[in-house]
Amino acid sequence: MARIDLDHIRHAYGGNRGPNAVYALKEVHHSFEDGGAYALLGPSGCGKTTLLNIISGLIHPSHGKLLFDGRDVTELSTQERNIAQVFQFPVIYDTMTVYDNLAFPLRNRGVPETDVDRRVRETLDMIGLADWAKRRARGLTADQKQKISLGRGLVRSDVNAILFDEPLTVIDPQMKWVLRSQLKQLHRQFGYTMIYVTHDQTEALTFAQTVVVMFDGEIVQIGTPAELFNKPKHTFVGYFIGSPGMNVLPARVSGKTATIGSQTIELPGGTGSSGAAKLELGIRPEFVRIGTTGMPASITKVEDIGRHKIVRANFEGQEIAAIVGEGENIPADAKIAFDPAGINLYADSWRIEIGA
Amino acid sequence: MLELKNVTKTVDGADHIRDVTLTLRHGSLNVLLGPTLSGKTSLMRLMAGLDRPTAGAIFFDGENVTGVPVQKRNVAMVYQQFINYPAMTVYENIASPLRVAGVAQAKIDAEVKRAAELLKLTPYLDRTPLNLSGGQQQRTALARAIVKNAKLVLLDEPLANLDYKLREELRAELPKIFAETGAIFVYATTEPHEALLLGGNTATLAEGRVTQFGPTIEVFRKPNDLITAMTFADPPLNTIVLPKRGSNFELDGGVNLPVPAGMAGIADDSYTIGFQPHHLSLTRKGSGAPIRAKVSTMEITGSESFVHLDFADARWVMLAHGIKSFEPDETVEVFLDPQHIMVFDSSGRSVAQAKVG
């Protein structure tokens, strides 16, 4: 496995490098540590798949270099980069047996047949298809085929990295849990360098140690799930991660207080005047308390989704969401309060530190 | 009102739909929830008149429509794939069913504008679908279904190809849009979480059977049988088979789980206990005894931790608030509130249901 360095990578489709080029990927300068589990998370068109394809060699970047363990691989083909890839839709040989599908990448590289057999059997156990080894792939269900694809990605132990492009999209929710936790166990056991592209926050946060959030061709934040949840660097991260996303409310700030509409909120600390055009207070629904004391708000809707309720309310003329536990009551004349631990401030959409 | 009476569909000797009886009312949102190949699409095709049932009958507002083809029914469908006419503008895409029906231009214009407003497409009416995002393309398909003014609208995993956040947005709007039209809405999904967010009613499907039908939150909280409970669970339902003796279910290692009040009358036998991941906790709630389980994997979302646990032969998931930093193979003490367990007999039928709230 290898450390992967992205050295000032930029990419514009269509080979346009001129001043009017539209960059699908703006400047990306980042390192993926050897043995790390990373997720690239963002909406359609954010550049995450472009970045993955640059790492795999399917796309040659317009600018910048790609290094594996310090070696420049920018000009190398996918084959020469020695990586494994798992795509959104199953890529398998329908006429081959499940066993032979898994053996293929190994035999291709001249691995001795005894080692092939051992690796294939281990992988079959991992993906839960041991009983299907002799079946032809044709006629298997979509999720079984995708498991074979995953297996092919995992069968070689000598690759530099394993790249996943939305690998669980076609998998049913309950099977996702099983496969995700198997991927995690594999990562722990074998220390693969894994890069996993997804638009699904749950998949990204649960899979990766480090999540790279992308928006509009740029990395907006790199962090652990806890950092992305507690301290989103940009309001986009606040919105994109969390379900519902962070409440972002226009505010005026003076010393240790913030004012929203006619309400004044104590801040956990002071902040210097930033001179920003736009100041906002961000608070996740998990930190909005509903009770009998606090600020007035009128509840517009309560969605009972089983393990908790999502309360939608109007607060100072704005929509605000709160999460209330399964057994908790919502008083008739409800008031809201903000847990200071969950308050973030944003100047022109970027987070500013709140001091002591 | 759409009524399915003992509807069965057999294809090449295999039952795709087995003896389904279901009544759906006007103005209602009905979710068909089940995994791939459980029969959701087959059932919708029967409702639409695209397929004819092998046995049983279908009534619409009291009229027997079994065997009446889709063209002669007032049905609109939206699929997982975004299906629009690529050469037409968004306006013409939405207008197309009205043009086919020979509606006057002034009325077409009013209807298209109303639907576009509802689905936030007004700025894009002059564009062609391929110049739109996936979310806008699917909004166009939804708008076309709405102007058709169909009495039955069938949505087959309509958000499955959209980004997570777009899904969240559109999912919140859909029930409002449905409510305005007064049609019968049927919405197929593989995701329990989506069913809960949509609300309305849910029919759980397993191997071509409707295992339960009722208000969504009730089916979730009070499943009639084990297969319904398992279908309606994400993360997967935690289960364990335990013998009941007297007032306890006997867990391994001499730990007992008290039989909850209200279930005291059940016979001593072997039962499957089912419970949701958030009903397993690190702190004692109710009269539960500590259960010593081994951590296999941790998944942390930032706000919550999913702790995968091994206990005897069972693999469970515990959902804990905040960030828990357990190591794999670490032994932890967890508590299960007996008031929140579901108990199923050897045939999988619920003997009593989990406490609500």
Side-chain angles (χ1 to χ4, degrees), chain A residues 42-44 141 172-174 177 180-181 184-185 188 199-202 205-206 225-226 229-230 239-245 286 303-308 310 326-327, chain B residues 35-37 162-165 167-169 190-191 193 196-197 217 220-221 230-231 233-236 278-279 296-304 306 319 323 328 357:
Chain A
S44 295
T141 61
D172 279 345
Q174 281 134 4
W177 284 89
R180 242 170 41 205
S181 68
K184 277 206 96 127
Q185 279 180 340
R188 204 176 68 239
H199 65 84
D200 184 321
Q201 49 164 324
T202 308
L205 297 167
T206 53
F229 181 79
N230 292 318
Y239 150 82
F240 199 76
I241 288 176
S243 194
E286 288 84 351
E303 298 165 39
D304 188 346
I305 60 161
R307 68 176 202 243
H308 57 235
I310 301 171
E326 188 184 26
Chain B
T36 308
L37 298 179
L162 296 176
D163 273 6
Y164 189 87
K165 272 284 152 176
R167 248 181 243 181
E168 202 174 278
E169 222 170 79
T190 59
E191 294 181 22
H193 189 62
L196 287 164
L197 284 164
I217 195 74
F220 176 75
R221 291 229 166 89
M230 289 173 76
T231 304
D234 179 26
H278 66 286
H279 288 144
S296 71
T297 318
M298 293 291 303
E299 294 184 302
I300 295 166
T301 69
S303 57
E304 293 169 327
F306 296 108
L319 173 59
I323 291 162

XYZ file of all heavy atoms in Angstrom, chain A residues 42-44 141 172-174 177 180-181 184-185 188 199-202 205-206 225-226 229-230 239-245 286 303-308 310 326-327, chain B residues 35-37 162-165 167-169 190-191 193 196-197 217 220-221 230-231 233-236 278-279 296-304 306 319 323 328 357:
644
model
N -19.481 14.667 -1.468
C -20.016 15.906 -2.018
C -21.132 15.606 -2.992
O -21.351 14.453 -3.357
N -21.855 16.646 -3.434
C -22.970 16.449 -4.358
C -22.475 16.175 -5.782
O -21.282 16.311 -6.071
C -23.717 17.779 -4.297
C -22.682 18.786 -3.920
C -21.684 18.061 -3.066
N -23.411 15.820 -6.671
C -23.079 15.623 -8.087
C -22.374 16.853 -8.610
O -22.774 17.971 -8.308
C -24.348 15.468 -8.925
O -25.017 14.335 -8.568
N -28.344 -11.764 -8.484
C -29.017 -10.480 -8.273
C -27.991 -9.345 -8.318
O -26.778 -9.581 -8.207
C -29.720 -10.441 -6.902
O -28.721 -10.616 -5.897
C -30.762 -11.535 -6.789
N -29.216 -3.040 -1.250
C -30.323 -2.766 -0.329
C -29.790 -2.291 1.024
O -28.706 -2.695 1.439
C -31.163 -4.025 -0.125
C -32.149 -4.233 -1.265
O -32.380 -3.280 -2.036
O -32.687 -5.336 -1.370
N -30.579 -1.441 1.714
C -30.089 -0.819 2.952
C -29.517 -1.798 3.978
O -28.464 -1.540 4.539
C -31.334 -0.131 3.517
C -32.231 0.085 2.361
C -31.939 -1.004 1.376
N -30.198 -2.912 4.199
C -29.719 -3.798 5.266
C -28.396 -4.463 4.897
O -27.533 -4.641 5.743
C -30.798 -4.819 5.624
C -31.850 -4.165 6.517
C -33.269 -4.454 6.109
O -33.514 -5.205 5.188
N -34.224 -3.850 6.797
N -25.256 -2.295 5.568
C -24.669 -2.362 6.917
C -23.659 -3.478 7.006
O -22.587 -3.322 7.593
C -25.772 -2.582 7.968
C -26.534 -1.353 8.215
C -27.640 -0.941 7.536
C -26.246 -0.335 9.163
N -28.051 0.270 8.017
C -27.227 0.658 9.017
C -25.251 -0.182 10.139
C -27.241 1.809 9.796
C -25.278 0.961 10.925
C -26.261 1.942 10.742
N -20.564 -2.640 4.704
C -19.787 -1.537 5.257
C -18.939 -1.998 6.428
O -17.762 -1.668 6.535
C -20.743 -0.447 5.723
C -20.568 0.838 4.998
C -21.666 1.806 5.290
N -22.052 1.833 6.679
C -23.263 2.221 7.086
N -24.159 2.614 6.211
N -23.566 2.228 8.356
N -19.552 -2.783 7.319
C -18.770 -3.179 8.499
C -17.698 -4.191 8.090
O -16.628 -4.230 8.694
C -19.662 -3.673 9.634
O -20.272 -4.870 9.302
N -14.806 -2.162 6.864
C -14.074 -1.581 7.995
C -13.159 -2.597 8.655
O -12.014 -2.296 9.003
C -15.069 -1.070 9.046
C -15.589 0.298 8.729
C -16.006 1.005 10.001
C -14.919 1.884 10.509
N -15.363 3.260 10.754
N -13.676 -3.808 8.822
C -12.866 -4.854 9.449
C -11.651 -5.174 8.591
O -10.556 -5.354 9.099
C -13.705 -6.108 9.662
C -14.569 -6.000 10.911
C -15.414 -7.241 11.132
O -15.644 -8.001 10.207
N -15.880 -7.427 12.343
N -9.072 -2.587 8.943
C -8.359 -2.715 10.211
C -7.345 -3.858 10.151
O -6.227 -3.737 10.617
C -9.358 -2.932 11.345
C -8.826 -2.518 12.691
C -9.854 -2.652 13.784
N -10.191 -4.021 14.045
C -11.405 -4.526 13.950
N -12.411 -3.767 13.592
N -11.634 -5.795 14.217
N -21.886 10.309 -2.330
C -22.687 11.494 -2.027
C -23.454 11.264 -0.732
O -24.181 12.130 -0.263
C -23.677 11.778 -3.169
C -24.710 10.693 -3.321
N -25.853 10.660 -2.572
C -24.732 9.583 -4.081
C -26.549 9.579 -2.890
N -25.887 8.897 -3.797
N -23.308 10.039 -0.172
C -24.113 9.657 0.983
C -23.322 9.888 2.260
O -22.330 9.216 2.519
C -24.510 8.183 0.835
C -25.441 7.713 1.934
O -25.238 8.122 3.095
O -26.369 6.947 1.643
N -23.758 10.847 3.048
C -23.006 11.219 4.238
C -22.837 10.056 5.202
O -21.783 9.912 5.812
C -23.680 12.403 4.931
C -25.154 12.217 5.123
C -25.710 13.204 6.131
O -25.080 13.544 7.107
N -26.900 13.681 5.876
N -23.865 9.234 5.355
C -23.754 8.137 6.316
C -22.639 7.184 5.899
O -21.808 6.772 6.714
C -25.077 7.364 6.420
O -26.111 8.304 6.671
C -25.048 6.355 7.538
N -19.197 9.027 6.456
C -18.820 9.231 7.852
C -18.533 7.915 8.555
O -17.639 7.836 9.394
C -19.928 9.987 8.594
C -20.215 11.402 8.082
C -21.514 11.926 8.672
C -19.069 12.338 8.402
N -19.309 6.892 8.236
C -19.113 5.626 8.938
C -17.922 4.862 8.385
O -17.275 4.114 9.101
C -20.371 4.736 8.871
O -20.760 4.591 7.508
C -21.502 5.328 9.668
N -15.180 12.619 11.248
C -16.632 12.811 11.340
C -17.021 13.781 12.460
O -17.908 14.625 12.285
C -17.147 11.399 11.591
C -16.145 10.517 10.899
C -14.822 11.198 11.118
N -16.340 13.679 13.612
C -16.691 14.544 14.746
C -16.415 16.014 14.421
O -17.213 16.893 14.746
C -15.915 14.122 15.985
N -19.021 17.327 12.126
C -20.308 17.503 12.791
C -20.274 18.699 13.738
O -21.167 19.548 13.711
C -20.684 16.232 13.565
C -22.013 16.353 14.249
C -23.186 16.186 13.529
C -22.086 16.659 15.594
C -24.420 16.327 14.145
C -23.314 16.800 16.222
C -24.484 16.636 15.497
N -19.234 18.777 14.550
C -19.204 19.802 15.600
C -18.743 21.168 15.117
O -19.214 22.185 15.610
C -18.306 19.349 16.748
C -18.906 18.179 17.496
O -20.111 18.162 17.766
N -18.092 17.188 17.800
N -24.665 22.273 6.149
C -25.889 21.886 5.446
C -25.794 20.469 4.919
O -26.715 19.667 5.056
C -26.132 22.872 4.302
C -26.860 22.306 3.092
C -28.258 22.191 3.097
C -26.156 21.885 1.962
C -28.924 21.671 1.993
C -26.812 21.363 0.863
C -28.200 21.254 0.875
O -28.854 20.728 -0.199
N -24.638 20.130 4.327
C -24.522 18.863 3.604
C -24.419 17.676 4.552
O -24.902 16.594 4.266
C -23.316 18.889 2.661
C -23.406 17.839 1.598
C -24.257 18.004 0.518
C -22.660 16.671 1.685
C -24.368 17.026 -0.460
C -22.768 15.692 0.703
C -23.620 15.870 -0.369
N -23.795 17.880 5.697
C -23.651 16.799 6.664
C -24.656 17.018 7.781
O -24.789 18.107 8.298
C -22.206 16.730 7.190
C -21.335 16.196 6.059
C -22.097 15.875 8.442
C -19.879 16.158 6.368
N -25.353 15.949 8.132
C -26.415 16.047 9.122
C -27.757 15.921 8.434
O -27.894 16.299 7.282
N -28.717 15.387 9.125
C -30.014 15.133 8.538
C -31.114 15.382 9.571
O -31.270 14.580 10.464
C -30.055 13.671 8.066
O -31.116 13.455 7.247
N -31.818 16.501 9.518
C -31.598 17.640 8.627
C -30.250 18.310 8.894
O -29.641 18.089 9.937
C -32.741 18.602 8.993
C -33.640 17.879 9.933
C -32.891 16.737 10.493
N -29.835 19.137 7.939
C -28.563 19.846 8.085
C -28.636 20.934 9.150
O -29.652 21.137 9.808
N -29.630 18.883 16.460
C -29.332 18.099 17.656
C -29.073 18.987 18.866
O -29.144 18.521 20.004
C -28.092 17.219 17.417
C -28.316 16.041 16.478
C -28.200 16.393 14.993
O -28.120 17.602 14.666
O -28.203 15.467 14.170
N -42.301 15.459 12.737
C -42.161 14.214 11.980
C -41.621 13.149 12.917
O -40.498 13.249 13.392
C -41.185 14.408 10.807
C -41.626 15.442 9.781
C -40.489 15.859 8.842
O -39.697 14.997 8.438
O -40.404 17.059 8.533
N -42.432 12.127 13.171
C -41.995 11.030 14.023
C -41.310 9.994 13.140
O -41.953 9.351 12.327
C -43.208 10.410 14.725
C -42.791 9.389 15.771
O -41.623 8.971 15.767
O -43.652 9.014 16.604
N -39.992 9.893 13.260
C -39.304 8.937 12.389
C -38.749 7.767 13.197
O -37.761 7.146 12.826
C -38.219 9.603 11.513
C -37.135 10.266 12.348
C -38.837 10.644 10.575
C -35.862 10.511 11.541
N -39.429 7.445 14.282
C -39.076 6.245 15.032
C -38.123 6.525 16.151
O -38.536 6.773 17.275
N -36.828 6.554 15.844
C -35.872 6.695 16.942
C -35.820 8.114 17.481
O -35.355 8.346 18.584
C -34.492 6.209 16.543
C -33.790 7.040 15.524
C -32.399 6.462 15.327
N -31.491 7.428 14.794
C -30.899 7.308 13.601
N -31.187 6.291 12.851
N -30.062 8.211 13.188
N -36.284 9.091 16.687
C -36.466 10.430 17.223
C -37.497 11.187 16.394
O -37.998 10.661 15.398
C -35.136 11.199 17.310
C -34.403 11.322 16.004
N -33.106 10.919 15.841
C -34.780 11.801 14.799
C -32.721 11.141 14.602
N -33.718 11.685 13.950
N -38.403 14.842 14.338
C -37.861 16.077 13.786
C -38.952 17.133 13.946
O -40.059 16.981 13.434
C -37.484 15.917 12.301
C -36.435 14.799 12.133
C -36.956 17.238 11.730
C -36.162 14.430 10.682
N -37.018 9.994 21.331
C -38.217 9.189 21.142
C -39.254 9.367 22.243
O -40.425 9.530 21.969
C -37.826 7.707 21.053
C -38.980 6.814 20.678
C -38.614 5.334 20.680
O -37.683 4.948 21.407
O -39.267 4.582 19.954
N -38.800 9.351 23.491
C -39.762 9.384 24.585
C -40.065 10.790 25.094
O -40.871 10.959 26.001
N -37.289 -5.066 0.248
C -36.017 -5.139 -0.473
C -36.224 -5.396 -1.968
O -37.351 -5.644 -2.403
C -35.303 -6.317 0.184
C -36.386 -7.159 0.751
C -37.494 -6.218 1.119
N -35.158 -5.334 -2.735
C -35.175 -5.667 -4.148
C -35.824 -7.039 -4.337
O -35.569 -7.948 -3.544
C -33.720 -5.716 -4.672
O -33.094 -4.498 -4.292
C -33.669 -5.845 -6.174
N -36.669 -7.163 -5.339
C -37.342 -8.411 -5.688
C -38.410 -8.839 -4.688
O -38.862 -9.972 -4.710
C -36.340 -9.564 -5.874
C -35.318 -9.373 -6.998
C -34.380 -10.568 -7.069
C -36.014 -9.182 -8.336
N -30.990 10.109 -7.100
C -30.612 11.479 -6.750
C -29.632 11.488 -5.584
O -29.588 10.562 -4.797
C -31.856 12.284 -6.352
C -32.885 12.500 -7.448
C -34.092 13.233 -6.882
C -32.284 13.300 -8.581
N -28.883 12.569 -5.505
C -27.987 12.765 -4.375
C -28.768 12.788 -3.070
O -29.907 13.235 -3.023
C -27.307 14.138 -4.489
C -26.053 14.039 -5.314
O -25.811 12.964 -5.864
O -25.350 15.048 -5.408
N -28.072 12.348 -2.043
C -28.649 12.287 -0.710
C -29.381 13.575 -0.295
O -30.510 13.541 0.167
C -27.505 12.013 0.261
C -27.942 11.710 1.647
C -28.248 10.422 2.011
C -28.067 12.730 2.583
C -28.673 10.143 3.291
C -28.486 12.458 3.864
C -28.782 11.157 4.204
O -29.206 10.896 5.473
N -28.754 14.716 -0.499
C -29.341 15.973 -0.034
C -30.535 16.391 -0.894
O -31.499 16.951 -0.381
C -28.283 17.087 -0.015
C -27.523 17.141 1.284
C -28.349 17.777 2.382
C -27.937 17.248 3.739
N -28.637 17.894 4.849
N -32.485 14.327 -2.379
C -33.524 13.412 -1.942
C -34.257 13.974 -0.741
O -35.477 13.982 -0.679
C -32.857 12.111 -1.482
C -33.121 10.937 -2.350
C -32.428 9.740 -1.756
N -31.420 9.268 -2.674
C -30.660 8.215 -2.439
N -30.765 7.541 -1.308
N -29.778 7.839 -3.329
N -33.447 14.455 0.215
C -34.001 14.981 1.463
C -34.965 16.133 1.171
O -36.052 16.206 1.726
C -32.832 15.465 2.317
C -33.083 15.553 3.779
C -31.798 15.899 4.514
O -31.010 14.982 4.765
O -31.569 17.075 4.823
N -34.543 17.002 0.260
C -35.328 18.183 -0.098
C -36.655 17.802 -0.767
O -37.721 18.239 -0.368
C -34.509 18.972 -1.115
C -34.483 20.462 -0.932
C -33.445 21.055 -1.874
O -33.767 21.194 -3.062
O -32.319 21.330 -1.411
N -36.924 0.958 -1.022
C -36.247 -0.113 -0.285
C -35.816 0.385 1.098
O -35.334 -0.397 1.907
C -34.969 -0.578 -1.018
O -34.095 0.551 -1.161
C -35.281 -1.136 -2.392
N -36.013 1.693 1.365
C -35.411 2.280 2.559
C -36.400 2.555 3.684
O -37.251 3.436 3.568
C -34.711 3.591 2.185
C -33.540 3.347 1.288
C -32.808 4.618 0.931
O -32.929 5.615 1.670
O -32.129 4.608 -0.100
N -35.970 4.154 6.353
C -35.836 5.534 6.798
C -36.691 6.461 5.922
O -37.320 7.403 6.409
C -34.360 5.917 6.702
C -34.039 7.225 7.313
N -34.229 7.480 8.644
C -33.547 8.366 6.774
C -33.860 8.720 8.896
N -33.453 9.286 7.784
N -40.350 6.202 6.885
C -40.644 6.951 8.112
C -40.706 8.448 7.836
O -41.550 9.154 8.385
C -39.588 6.657 9.179
C -39.706 5.264 9.816
C -38.423 4.891 10.546
C -40.898 5.204 10.766
N -39.828 8.946 6.977
C -39.835 10.378 6.667
C -41.073 10.760 5.862
O -41.591 11.863 6.001
C -38.572 10.767 5.907
C -37.316 10.872 6.770
C -36.069 10.859 5.910
C -37.340 12.133 7.633
N -45.957 4.795 11.130
C -45.271 4.725 12.417
C -45.789 3.537 13.241
O -45.063 2.940 14.028
C -45.380 6.082 13.189
C -44.386 6.138 14.335
C -46.782 6.378 13.641
C -42.958 6.348 13.902
N -44.149 0.391 11.991
C -42.771 0.399 12.495
C -42.719 -0.024 13.962
O -41.890 -0.829 14.361
C -42.176 1.795 12.334
C -40.793 1.945 12.914
C -39.698 1.411 12.265
C -40.594 2.626 14.110
C -38.417 1.537 12.795
C -39.322 2.756 14.652
C -38.231 2.219 13.985
N -43.627 0.537 14.772
C -43.561 0.275 16.213
C -44.241 -1.018 16.627
O -43.895 -1.612 17.637
C -44.210 1.444 16.970
C -43.408 2.725 16.886
C -43.213 3.349 18.260
N -42.180 4.377 18.203
C -42.440 5.659 17.918
N -43.688 6.046 17.696
N -41.465 6.521 17.874
N -38.324 -7.091 10.541
C -37.009 -7.106 9.886
C -37.005 -6.258 8.615
O -36.019 -5.594 8.302
C -36.584 -8.543 9.568
C -36.231 -9.310 10.845
S -35.920 -11.056 10.582
C -34.303 -10.977 9.871
N -38.110 -6.270 7.908
C -38.221 -5.454 6.696
C -38.161 -3.972 7.053
O -37.574 -3.161 6.338
C -39.542 -5.767 5.964
O -39.588 -7.160 5.702
C -39.663 -5.003 4.657
N -36.586 -2.133 9.303
C -35.516 -1.818 10.249
C -34.254 -1.454 9.490
O -33.821 -2.167 8.606
C -35.248 -3.006 11.162
N -33.675 -0.315 9.811
C -32.418 0.125 9.224
C -31.747 1.037 10.239
O -32.226 2.139 10.458
C -32.675 0.887 7.921
C -31.370 1.394 7.285
O -30.326 0.791 7.531
O -31.440 2.397 6.549
N -30.708 0.620 10.922
C -29.931 -0.614 10.813
C -30.792 -1.875 10.989
O -31.909 -1.784 11.507
C -28.943 -0.501 11.967
C -29.035 0.863 12.515
C -30.260 1.485 12.037
N -30.252 -3.030 10.579
C -31.026 -4.263 10.702
C -31.534 -4.485 12.123
O -30.881 -4.080 13.085
C -30.013 -5.346 10.319
C -28.978 -4.655 9.506
C -28.906 -3.255 10.020
N -31.493 1.710 18.940
C -31.464 2.795 19.926
C -32.082 2.363 21.256
O -32.101 3.146 22.201
C -32.138 4.060 19.372
C -33.598 3.922 19.131
N -34.126 3.214 18.092
C -34.660 4.427 19.802
C -35.442 3.287 18.121
N -35.792 4.009 19.147
N -32.586 1.149 21.336
C -33.102 0.660 22.614
C -32.076 -0.163 23.390
O -32.357 -0.696 24.456
C -34.391 -0.139 22.391
C -35.538 0.747 22.017
N -36.508 0.386 21.124
C -35.854 2.015 22.401
C -37.367 1.382 20.966
N -36.986 2.385 21.730
N -17.375 -5.487 17.797
C -16.702 -5.965 16.579
C -16.257 -4.802 15.695
O -15.130 -4.789 15.221
C -17.593 -6.932 15.802
O -18.668 -6.274 15.201
N -17.122 -3.826 15.486
C -16.763 -2.676 14.652
C -17.421 -1.432 15.230
O -18.478 -1.511 15.837
C -17.296 -2.846 13.198
O -17.085 -4.176 12.780
C -16.609 -1.906 12.238
N -16.781 -0.289 14.997
C -17.362 0.995 15.389
C -17.618 1.817 14.136
O -16.773 1.883 13.254
C -16.363 1.788 16.242
C -16.047 1.211 17.594
S -17.452 1.312 18.686
C -17.785 3.079 18.650
N -18.759 2.470 14.088
C -19.018 3.430 13.017
C -19.474 4.717 13.685
O -20.412 4.707 14.476
C -20.107 2.920 12.070
C -19.703 1.679 11.297
C -20.776 1.267 10.304
O -21.915 1.017 10.716
O -20.465 1.206 9.108
N -18.786 5.812 13.369
C -19.086 7.083 14.029
C -19.531 8.091 12.985
O -18.846 8.303 11.986
C -17.842 7.589 14.792
C -17.521 6.604 15.928
C -18.070 8.995 15.346
C -16.161 6.797 16.532
N -20.709 8.675 13.189
C -21.182 9.648 12.204
C -20.875 11.073 12.626
O -21.115 12.007 11.877
C -22.710 9.559 12.001
O -23.344 10.023 13.196
C -23.151 8.152 11.694
N -20.371 11.265 13.845
C -20.122 12.609 14.335
C -21.117 12.963 15.425
O -20.755 13.496 16.451
N -22.406 12.654 15.183
C -23.417 12.911 16.206
C -23.734 11.636 16.964
O -24.165 11.657 18.103
C -24.697 13.446 15.570
O -25.181 12.541 14.604
N -23.536 10.507 16.292
C -23.913 9.230 16.879
C -22.832 8.195 16.603
O -22.036 8.341 15.686
C -25.218 8.730 16.237
C -26.421 9.600 16.569
C -27.637 9.262 15.733
O -27.467 8.864 14.566
O -28.740 9.383 16.268
N -22.487 4.026 15.945
C -23.068 2.705 15.774
C -22.031 1.706 16.267
O -20.950 1.606 15.699
C -23.399 2.422 14.310
C -24.455 3.325 13.736
C -24.130 4.304 12.813
C -25.778 3.186 14.130
C -25.110 5.131 12.280
C -26.757 4.014 13.602
C -26.428 4.990 12.681
N -27.061 1.916 18.876
C -26.945 3.309 18.458
C -26.797 4.160 19.709
O -27.707 4.228 20.528
C -28.197 3.714 17.674
C -28.336 5.183 17.298
C -27.169 5.629 16.443
C -29.630 5.401 16.553
N -19.902 10.485 20.585
C -18.812 9.670 20.064
C -18.317 8.731 21.146
O -17.888 9.158 22.218
C -17.680 10.581 19.556
C -18.187 11.304 18.306
C -16.427 9.785 19.255
C -17.396 12.499 17.935
N -12.134 -2.471 18.970
C -12.615 -3.791 18.560
C -12.138 -4.849 19.550
O -11.029 -4.746 20.088
C -11.969 -3.990 17.186
C -11.728 -2.607 16.684
C -11.441 -1.773 17.883
N -43.462 4.807 22.281
C -42.855 5.962 22.942
C -41.748 5.484 23.775
O -41.209 5.878 24.660
